[in-house]
Amino acid sequence: MLSRPSPLAAGALPALFIPIWATGFISARAVVPHVDPLAFTAIRFTAVALVLALIATASRVRWPGDRAGWRDPVIAGFLMQGVYLSGVFWAVSHGLPAGIAALVGSLQPLLTALLAQPLLGERVSGRRALGIMMGFVGTGLVLAPKLGATDPSGIPPLALAVSLLAVLALTLGTLWQKRTGGRVDLLAGATLQFVGGMACAIPLALAFGSSTAFDPAPALWLGLGWAVLVNSVAGILLLLVLIRRGAVAGVAALFFLVPPVAAVLGYLLFGEVLTPLQGAGMALAALGVAVASRG
């Protein structure tokens, strides 16, 4: 059983989670030229499930004692991992601009706030709602230069629809995890989540993926290693701790900081341009998250 973090460690968890999650965009950029996206997600989820199962076995975690304890994390993982990541990778690989995909992804905290009341009975305060809106506007400012370079008439409708479906799945999976995850050990639950992700990603890869699109370049192996060990193993454990400890709408607001951090990483690693407008958006998104977290 994972121990409860100290107050100091708990305060550091969001600051650690955000850059870990944001580097997913960097690893995706590294591997997309070398592998079919659906095959990559299937390989990734299988590897993560194996790594977490080994850690769980070595740690002698307490596995669920009833059918619901096994079922609920698998459902959450099917939605949060399988449908979401497979959908986003597929949409981007089929022509959806990355800026549009990121903007669609930033709808997740808004959907979470809207659904938390009817599905969980969790009241979203006026302050938290204000913070979520500030975060959404700030994220839009960060993405504005990229969106301005996109011709809306060229956005593939099917790819956009799949991206929206993926974000809805992430939202529902987050709410399901909040509702049911407290009964299961965190490490056991994380392992079962990626089993759920496999249950979604492997059939999709077999049905719609391309087995020939595999170039075993060093960038692919580095990107896969990072995606498995950092984005997935470390990222999902942090996310589950945050969901268990905090109000789900406040945790979801952290996702507003992912595009700004990804933009900074793109500037540092790939020389991408950061404009004053994006800087203002980062500040507004950070302020929005601070307000929502105090909701």
Side-chain angles (χ1 to χ4, degrees):
M1 183 81 175
L2 295 180
S3 60
R4 188 178 183 85
S6 67
L8 180 59
L13 290 179
L16 185 59
F17 168 75
I18 293 162
I20 284 177
W21 203 263
T23 56
F25 293 96
I26 305 302
S27 61
R29 177 168 177 166
V31 304
V32 163
H34 305 287
V35 66
D36 175 80
L38 293 179
F40 176 78
T41 54
I43 295 169
R44 172 182 174 176
F45 292 156
T46 302
V48 173
L50 290 173
V51 170
L52 288 175
L54 290 173
I55 297 174
T57 301
S59 303
R60 298 184 179 181
V61 302
R62 184 174 182 180
W63 294 95
D66 57 10
R67 182 179 300 177
W70 290 85
R71 177 199 64 207
D72 292 340
V74 170
I75 292 175
F78 189 94
L79 294 169
M80 293 173 64
Q81 306 297 333
V83 178
Y84 173 65
L85 286 177
S86 297
V88 169
F89 267 66
W90 186 92
V92 171
S93 69
H94 283 73
L96 186 68
I100 298 294
L103 185 61
V104 171
S106 67
L107 294 174
Q108 193 263 345
L110 297 177
L111 290 174
T112 301
L114 289 173
L115 296 176
Q117 171 74 36
L119 296 183
L120 296 181
E122 182 179 288
R123 179 179 173 273
V124 179
S125 67
R127 176 184 293 180
R128 177 157 286 156
L130 174 62
I132 290 172
M133 290 303 301
M134 290 169 63
F136 180 72
V137 173
T139 298
L141 293 177
V142 172
L143 299 172
K146 295 182 181 180
L147 297 179
T150 301
D151 179 6
S153 65
I155 298 174
L158 180 58
L160 179 61
V162 169
S163 181
L164 288 167
L165 177 63
V167 172
L168 177 60
L170 176 61
T171 302
L172 294 175
T174 301
L175 294 169
W176 182 261
Q177 172 64 28
K178 178 65 177 180
R179 181 176 180 178
T180 66
R183 300 192 299 266
V184 181
D185 178 275
L186 281 173
L187 189 51
T191 305
L192 294 174
Q193 273 205 23
F194 279 95
V195 172
M198 289 169 55
C200 175
I202 292 177
L204 286 177
L206 293 174
F208 303 106
S210 171
S211 59
T212 59
F214 188 89
D215 172 24
L220 172 60
W221 299 115
L222 289 173
L224 179 61
W226 185 271
V228 169
L229 299 176
V230 180
N231 290 145
S232 295
V233 173
I236 192 62
L237 290 175
L238 282 170
L239 179 59
L240 293 180
V241 170
L242 289 168
I243 290 174
R244 181 170 292 188
R245 289 175 58 82
V248 69
V251 172
L254 293 173
F255 285 92
F256 284 132
L257 290 179
V258 171
V261 172
V264 171
L265 291 173
Y267 169 77
L268 294 174
L269 297 176
F270 300 112
E272 296 179 355
V273 176
L274 281 177
T275 67
L277 180 65
Q278 289 177 298
M282 292 178 191
L284 183 59
L287 181 60
V289 170
V291 171
S293 299
R294 296 174 181 271

